[in-house]
């Protein structure tokens, strides 16, 4: 099989398309690159969706944690504490155990029809179950970052907003929220990088792989087992992730520039990579 | 442990549980908590020193050194720690043995790589294959610590580099005005003031380090998650204490342990922040000064 | 047996340089009862541990047990972190290309399906297997939907929870579980897979391999191996003629 044929056969193997059986003997470098790249699609899927959904929950949680009302504040504090305070490893395990138990617990609700039954079954699959865990996890971490930023929104900004007659939702949308994002962005970029790295844990310890459809690390360990040589597949995963990290940094950098576009040049520099020397 | 534990098959209820929880494997489980804490206590300062070296290299005026520092931080930060652990330890081990092989057995004729095999002369083996098991364990643990330190050192370097840049320029200019050399300015002015800026990032890193300990098993250290999985799995009657799948309880216990550990760390780090803020040119330091006055 | 391990450890410590080559480090997984597992005292135990110690005694070697994760058990052998593998490892052509095996000390294994229902759909349903085993490769080719878990224990748990229709694993790994669990039962036919279980050694260690081969032959001839098989796997297990 030529390399191009391999790409055609395995490029979307991680989603169950193309060749059904994985390569077994005489494994070529091309096959490793293609399949591990195919697995990266899952890492992208988990990372992008969890970040996108987590962004909104995180904003809500940060506001709740900042609220005066203890009924809002306490649950948000606990949620953030539990998800930030325990290893993702354990969160995956407990979530999987809980999801597996669901249909049994929900037997009496079967009356609602097949649909309910089907939805609980999906929870034990990585594409939904692991996504939920990652979503909650990144929400908690991002919420803490946003909360810290919210606390450091300059008093003057708020006073100026009041003076202009802005209040309530309008004030939040136009003044508080953009400033909060601007302050939180560098730390949030790091969180995004960490989250993409965390997606490698999904199949490694959390959820079972279905029909040999897994992420980059799943295929890497498959190849490491078949070729008995860990020095090719794992560095390949590392290489893919370095590229992914660079892309994340670039995209988040673009957003950062947009968030800071109104600031005077000198202050803008504070949020950029500063290679100049202090002396 | 207890005298009545001699025949577990006859025991029931609490007596069974007390014997079960004090048998040999459980003792190993409890010890693994100590192991993890000790490894953390060693890894943290080592990683910090790697980070400090990385940050110093990144700031260097000598371009190759600066590049080296930047590449180290950028590369290691870009790779998921788990993928790194899966090949780096074996690579490190082989690298060390390769060096020793060339130093100690110059007369060795056979190639080191034979197919998949990696063969060095017996004298170059690390540790010697005749060494007692404890040395093998210590060697494995050192490799694990070194690997962890490399990964977390890269993150620490990033934080420390940022913190060094955050120290107000005026402080350094004043030092120069007093006639201090570059070296003196760095060690007497920059480094003492930098910590307060680095602390939020470093404490975040400490939290991440705590939560990365389940990966220790990948590095050949039998950590608490390994034992929880091993002990919790269902046990057939080959074992003295058969039981069904109890992993859920063990993992819930670990959850409580980790939550407590991070909570205690948070409290300790808050105290440390307050202490370090004393006399610093920051808002917190200013607030303390006002409160005292 | 614990005493034996202890005494070998003491021997290893007191052994001089002359004996240096005779310390053989035996790699095992420690998570595959009854082949090998960590017993309640926290020591490696099981059929392979008892057998390994006996083989070492006959070959006049000093042996020490090392546990290693299944995933990296072969790379760690080839890079010399231990000298043998006794971890329920079936002799397969793929593995044989990278390492060498002694003759088998456990007859070619039957693998079997276990399920909650005798009529479970084994060819079209969901079948759980441990990742990177000959069983998982077999299921992938059988047409069933393969569900892979990191440990053998989880594969059985998946059947109990209804996640998978059946589990496919070594007969002897499943046997005690099927016996002791009223809900779990055998399904379908047994499938012979692999060339039996042998001890893995580096391809360059021909001398070590020969020593162990000789010891295994001796144990097969005087019947001690069969007695050991019966002790760990029950009277109905396959034995050597």
């Amino acid at each position: 099989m030529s390399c191009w044929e391999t790409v055609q056969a395995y490029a979307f193997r991680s989603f169950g398309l193309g060749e059904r059986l994985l390569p077994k003997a005489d494994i070529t470098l091309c096959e490793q690159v293609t399949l591990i790249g195919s697995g990266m699609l899952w890492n992208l899927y988990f990372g992008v969706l969890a970040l996108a959904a987590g962004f909104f929950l995180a904003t809500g949680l940060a506001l709740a944690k900042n609220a005066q009302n203890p009924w809002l504040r306490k649950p948000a504090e606990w949620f953030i504490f539990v998800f930030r305070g325990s290893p993702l490893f354990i969160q995956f395990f407990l979530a999987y155990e809980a999801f597996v138990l669901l249909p049994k617990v929900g037997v009496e609700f079967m009356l609602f029809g097949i649909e309910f039954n089907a939805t609980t079954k999906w929870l034990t699959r990585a594409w939904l179950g692991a996504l939920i865990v990652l979503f909650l996890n990144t929400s908690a971490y991002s919420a803490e970052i946003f909360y810290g930023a919210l606390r450091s929104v300059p008093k003057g900004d708020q006073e100026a907003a009041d003076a202009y007659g802005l209040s309530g939702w309008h004030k939040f949308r136009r003044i508080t929220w953009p400033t909060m994002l601007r302050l939180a962005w560098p730390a949030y970029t790091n969180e995004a990088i960490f989250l993409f790295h965390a997606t490698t844990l999904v199949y490694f310890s959390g959820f079972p792989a279905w029909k040999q459809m897994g992420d980059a690390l799943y295929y890497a360990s498959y190849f490491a087992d078949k070729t008995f040589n860990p020095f090719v597949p794992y560095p390949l995963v590392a290489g893919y992730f370095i590229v992914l990290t660079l892309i994340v940094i670039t995209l988040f950098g673009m957003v950062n520039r947009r968030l800071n576009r109104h600031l005077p040049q000198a202050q803008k520099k504070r949020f950029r990579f500063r290679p100049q020397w202090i002396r | 442990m207890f005298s009545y534990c001699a025949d577990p098959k006859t025991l029931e209820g609490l007596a069974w549980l007390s014997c079960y929880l004090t048998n040999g494997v459980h003792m190993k489980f409890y010890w693994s908590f100590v192991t993890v804490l000790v490894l953390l206590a060693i890894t943290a300062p080592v990683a910090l020193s790697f980070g400090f070296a990385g940050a110093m290299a990144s700031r260097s005026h000598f371009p190759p050194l600066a590049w080296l520092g930047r590449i180290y931080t950028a590369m290691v930060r870009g790779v998921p720690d788990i993928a790194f652990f899966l090949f780096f330890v074996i690579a490190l081990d082989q690298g060390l043995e390769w060096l020793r092989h060339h130093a100690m057995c110059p007369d060795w004729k056979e190639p080191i790589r034979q197919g998949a095999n990696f063969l060095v002369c017996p004298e170059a083996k690390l540790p010697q294959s005749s060494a007692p098991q404890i040395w093998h364990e210590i060697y494995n643990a050192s490799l694990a610590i070194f690997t962890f330190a490399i990964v977390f050192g890269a993150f620490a370097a990033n934080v420390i580099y940022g913190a060094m840049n955050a120290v107000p320029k005026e402080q350094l200019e004043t030092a120069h005005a007093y006639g201090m050399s570059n070296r003196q300015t760095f060690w007497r002015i920059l480094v003492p003031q930098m910590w307060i800026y680095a602390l939020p990032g470093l404490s975040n890193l400490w939290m991440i380090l705590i939560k990365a300990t389940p990966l220790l098993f990948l590095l050949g250290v039998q950590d608490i998650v390994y034992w929880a999985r091993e002990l919790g799995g269902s046990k057939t009657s080959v074992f003295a204490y058969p039981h069904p799948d109890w992993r859920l309880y063990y993992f819930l216990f670990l959850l409580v342990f980790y939550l407590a550990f991070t909570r205690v760390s948070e409290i300790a780090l808050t105290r440390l922040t307050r202490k370090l803020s004393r006399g610093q040119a920051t808002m917190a330091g200013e607030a303390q000064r006002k409160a005292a006055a | 047996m614990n005493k034996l391990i202890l005494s070998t450890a003491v021997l290893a410590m007191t052994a001089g340089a002359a004996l240096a080559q005779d310390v053989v480090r035996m790699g095992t997984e420690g998570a595959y009862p009854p082949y090998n597992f960590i017993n309640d005292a926290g020591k490696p135990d099981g059929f392979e541990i008892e057998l390994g110690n006996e083989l070492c005694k006959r070959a006049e070697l000093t042996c020490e047990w090392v546990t290693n994760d299944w995933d990296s058990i072969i790379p760690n052998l080839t890079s010399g972190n231990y000298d043998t593998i006794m971890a329920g490892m079936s002799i397969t052509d793929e593995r044989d290309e990278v390492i060498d095996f002694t003759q088998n000390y456990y007859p070619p294994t039957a693998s079997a399906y276990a399920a909650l229902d005798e009529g479970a759909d084994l060819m079209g349903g969901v079948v759980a297997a441990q990742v990177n085993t000959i069983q998982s490769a077999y299921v992938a080719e059988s047409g069933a939907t393969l569900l892979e878990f990191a440990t053998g224990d989880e594969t059985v748990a998946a059947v109990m929870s209804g996640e998978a229709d059946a589990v496919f694993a070594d007969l002897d790994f499943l046997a005690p579980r099927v016996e002791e669990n009223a809900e779990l039962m055998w399904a379908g036919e047994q499938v012979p897979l692999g060339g039996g279980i042998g001890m893995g050694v580096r391809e360059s260690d021909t001398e070590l391999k020969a020593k162990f081969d000789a010891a295994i032959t001796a144990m097969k001839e005087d019947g001690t191996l069969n007695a050991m098989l019966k002790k760990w796997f029950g009277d109905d297990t396959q034995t050597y003629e």
Side-chain angles (χ1 to χ4, degrees):
Chain A
M1 205 159 33
S2 79
C3 191
W4 175 238
E5 282 167 344
T6 306
V7 172
Q8 283 178 319
Y10 289 117
F12 296 101
R13 177 62 180 79
S14 58
F15 286 94
L17 304 172
E19 200 73 26
R20 194 174 67 83
L21 294 178
L22 299 183
K24 287 196 73 178
D26 301 324
I27 287 161
T28 61
L29 185 65
C30 179
E31 283 167 334
Q32 302 204 22
V33 173
T34 311
L35 259 174
I36 292 173
S38 168
M40 280 302 287
L41 293 175
W42 276 113
N43 297 95
L44 272 175
Y45 162 88
F46 286 122
V48 170
L49 286 187
L51 270 178
F55 179 80
F56 295 101
L57 181 60
T59 312
L61 280 170
L63 286 176
K65 191 175 176 181
N66 199 34
Q68 298 289 321
N69 187 343
W71 289 100
L72 277 174
R73 198 180 66 233
K74 283 287 162 198
E77 277 177 356
W78 272 100
F79 178 86
I80 294 173
F81 173 61
V82 168
F83 275 93
R84 282 184 80 231
S86 58
L88 187 58
F89 217 78
I90 290 175
Q91 291 169 19
F92 271 135
F93 174 84
L94 292 177
Y96 182 73
E97 291 285 298
F99 289 151
V100 165
L101 286 177
L102 265 186
K104 284 185 184 161
V105 180
V107 168
E108 45 202 298
F109 300 108
M110 295 272 268
L111 291 168
F112 288 110
I114 308 155
E115 206 151 328
F116 181 83
N117 194 18
T119 41
T120 50
K121 240 185 178 166
W122 287 344
L123 283 171
T124 59
R125 306 281 175 78
W127 69 266
L128 184 63
L131 182 62
I132 289 175
V133 177
L134 285 168
F135 156 64
L136 295 176
N137 187 278
T138 185
S139 297
Y141 276 91
S142 313
E144 185 65 24
I145 294 169
F146 289 167
Y147 169 74
L150 206 56
R151 302 283 286 181
S152 16
V153 170
K155 223 170 92 189
D157 285 18
Q158 303 284 323
E159 286 165 359
D162 289 338
Y164 275 98
L166 294 174
S167 63
W169 166 249
H170 221 63
K171 177 175 146 191
F172 173 74
R173 173 68 191 80
R174 301 291 294 273
I175 307 296
T176 319
W177 192 62
T179 315
M180 175 194 91
L181 277 189
R182 185 168 61 81
L183 294 175
W185 209 256
Y188 189 58
T189 311
N190 272 338
E191 163 56 21
I193 297 173
F194 272 123
L195 181 72
F196 274 107
H197 290 182
T199 57
T200 52
L201 272 177
V202 171
Y203 292 101
F204 194 77
S205 68
F207 284 71
W210 190 259
K211 289 186 177 174
Q212 298 184 310
M213 299 187 285
D215 74 331
L217 196 66
Y218 169 82
Y219 288 118
S221 75
Y222 175 83
F223 286 125
D225 179 68
K226 285 283 172 286
T227 61
F228 307 101
N229 180 3
F231 296 122
V232 177
Y234 294 124
L236 271 178
V237 175
Y240 271 115
F241 266 93
I242 289 175
V243 173
L244 179 62
T245 308
L246 290 178
I247 294 172
V248 170
I249 289 175
T250 315
L251 290 178
F252 275 69
M254 276 157 66
V255 176
N256 193 34
R257 268 198 293 288
R258 192 177 152 72
L259 287 170
N260 288 296
R261 70 192 183 284
H262 61 288
L263 292 178
Q265 204 62 21
Q267 217 185 329
K268 213 165 148 182
K269 270 195 174 148
R270 251 183 60 201
F271 301 100
R272 278 172 44 189
F273 189 61
R274 299 204 309 174
Q276 80 266 33
W277 326 119
I278 300 176
R279 268 191 328 99
Chain B
M1 188 81 182
F2 305 111
S3 54
Y4 56 82
C5 293
D7 190 7
K9 299 266 188 300
T10 61
L11 296 171
E12 262 179 46
L14 269 183
W16 185 89
L17 199 64
S18 66
C19 290
Y20 172 66
L21 289 178
T22 52
N23 69 3
V25 244
H26 275 85
M27 287 302 157
K28 285 206 161 186
F29 178 47
Y30 306 139
W31 266 111
S32 68
F33 282 88
V34 180
T35 315
V36 166
L37 292 180
V38 169
L39 285 183
L40 271 177
I42 302 173
T43 310
V46 178
L48 198 60
S49 58
F50 276 35
F52 198 83
M56 268 176 71
S58 300
R59 283 171 56 89
S60 165
H61 292 275
F62 180 57
L65 198 60
W67 292 331
L68 199 74
R70 302 250 173 84
I71 289 172
Y72 162 58
T73 34
M75 266 207 17
V76 178
R77 279 179 72 218
V79 178
D81 42 10
I82 180 169
F84 192 73
F85 292 160
L86 281 170
F87 70 90
F88 186 76
V89 175
I90 297 185
L92 188 66
D93 179 40
Q94 295 193 351
L96 285 175
E97 289 184 351
W98 187 84
L99 285 178
R100 279 169 59 95
H101 177 84
H102 281 269
M104 300 167 89
C105 315
D107 308 329
W108 194 264
K109 287 289 175 289
E110 288 166 54
I112 294 183
R113 286 226 159 271
Q114 299 178 9
N117 287 355
F118 179 84
L119 298 169
V120 292
C121 61
E123 293 80 39
K125 278 240 138 297
L126 262 179
Q128 297 283 297
S129 62
S130 58
Q133 180 60 19
I134 184 79
W135 285 110
H136 287 274
E137 276 168 25
I138 290 173
Y139 177 70
N140 278 347
S142 330
L143 285 187
I145 289 170
F146 185 74
T147 316
F148 254 72
I150 282 198
V151 171
F152 286 88
F155 287 100
N158 197 44
V159 169
I160 291 174
Y161 182 76
M164 284 179 174
N165 283 354
V167 173
K169 244 181 175 171
E170 297 79 10
Q171 297 277 342
L172 306 178
E173 283 163 1
T174 313
H176 279 292
Y178 274 97
M180 284 191 185
S181 68
N182 281 344
R183 213 190 159 78
Q184 284 172 323
T185 314
F186 181 77
W187 287 108
R188 296 192 190 172
I189 306 296
L190 184 67
V191 172
Q193 294 201 43
M194 160 204 95
W195 293 112
I196 186 64
Y197 298 100
L199 200 61
L202 288 181
S203 39
N204 204 21
L205 214 52
W206 167 248
M207 300 291 180
I208 295 173
L209 182 63
I210 293 175
K211 280 167 275 168
T213 49
L215 298 180
L216 275 174
F217 180 59
L218 294 181
L219 307 181
V221 178
Q222 292 177 347
D223 77 308
I224 47 184
V225 174
Y226 165 79
W227 282 114
R229 206 181 253 230
E230 169 71 34
L231 294 174
S234 62
K235 297 274 177 280
T236 58
S237 53
V238 174
F239 295 88
Y241 300 90
H243 62 74
D245 188 351
W246 279 356
R247 283 176 302 158
L248 187 60
Y249 307 109
Y250 281 89
F251 275 81
L252 281 174
F253 176 63
L254 288 194
L255 181 74
V256 172
F257 167 75
Y258 275 107
L259 287 178
F261 194 18
T262 42
R263 188 82 199 107
V264 169
S265 303
E266 256 175 22
I267 293 170
L269 287 165
T270 319
R271 290 215 176 133
L272 187 64
T273 314
R274 214 178 304 148
K275 217 171 177 180
L276 278 181
S277 294
R278 189 169 300 155
Q280 292 283 356
T282 60
M283 266 171 72
E286 186 65 24
Q288 278 185 0
R289 198 156 38 240
K290 277 187 183 150
Chain C
M1 190 150 44
N2 294 338
K3 269 185 197 147
L4 187 64
I5 291 171
L6 207 76
S7 60
T8 54
V10 172
L11 248 177
M13 270 186 267
T14 50
L19 274 168
Q21 281 89 341
D22 293 337
V23 178
V24 178
R25 290 167 57 75
M26 316 270 278
T28 189
E29 186 197 8
Y32 205 62
Y35 294 89
N36 58 78
F37 56 91
I38 308 293
N39 68 12
D40 295 282
K43 297 275 194 304
D45 197 351
F47 164 67
E48 287 173 322
I49 313 301
E50 189 180 340
L51 173 66
N53 287 333
E54 178 64 27
L55 291 176
C56 288
K57 208 165 86 188
R58 287 176 184 233
E60 293 178 344
L61 298 165
T62 314
C63 294
E64 266 182 275
W65 289 95
V66 188
T67 50
N68 195 88
D69 196 27
W70 175 255
D71 277 345
S72 61
I73 206 160
I74 289 182
N76 273 312
L77 174 77
T78 54
S79 74
N81 289 340
Y82 35 78
D83 306 309
T84 68
I85 297 175
M86 286 184 91
M89 185 177 276
S90 301
I91 303 170
T92 64
D93 292 344
E94 295 166 4
R95 289 176 181 143
D96 214 4
E97 276 178 24
V98 185
I99 58 175
D100 260 1
F101 284 98
T102 62
Q103 59 174 305
N104 59 36
Y105 53 77
Y106 186 94
T109 27
S111 296
Y113 291 95
L116 297 180
D117 166 29
E118 273 176 28
D121 184 1
L122 304 177
M123 290 301 140
V126 180
V127 178
Q130 189 177 2
V131 69
N132 294 339
T133 53
I134 48 172
Q135 283 87 11
S136 74
Y138 178 83
V139 174
E141 280 178 31
S142 73
T145 300
L146 170 63
L147 191 62
E148 285 170 299
F149 290 87
T151 62
D153 216 36
E154 284 166 291
T155 59
V156 180
V159 174
M160 298 309 298
S161 69
E163 274 303 286
D165 298 324
V167 46
F168 188 54
D170 274 336
L171 181 75
D172 293 303
F173 170 74
L174 288 176
R177 287 154 203 266
V178 172
E179 258 168 49
E180 289 169 29
N181 190 327
E183 289 176 70
L184 205 61
M185 60 189 80
W186 298 112
E189 301 277 305
Q190 295 181 3
V191 187
L193 283 183
I197 293 172
M199 182 194 284
V201 292
R202 278 183 296 275
E203 281 177 331
S204 53
D205 282 349
T206 43
E207 202 181 321
L208 189 68
K209 185 187 154 193
K211 277 186 188 171
F212 278 118
D213 259 335
I216 295 172
T217 310
M219 283 186 73
K220 279 181 180 170
E221 276 167 5
D222 66 13
T224 39
L225 183 56
N226 283 348
M228 222 177 255
L229 282 166
K230 283 197 173 131
K231 173 188 165 192
W232 287 98
F233 300 104
D235 288 333
D236 303 332
T237 193
Q238 297 161 283
T239 49
Y240 290 96
E241 302 280 306

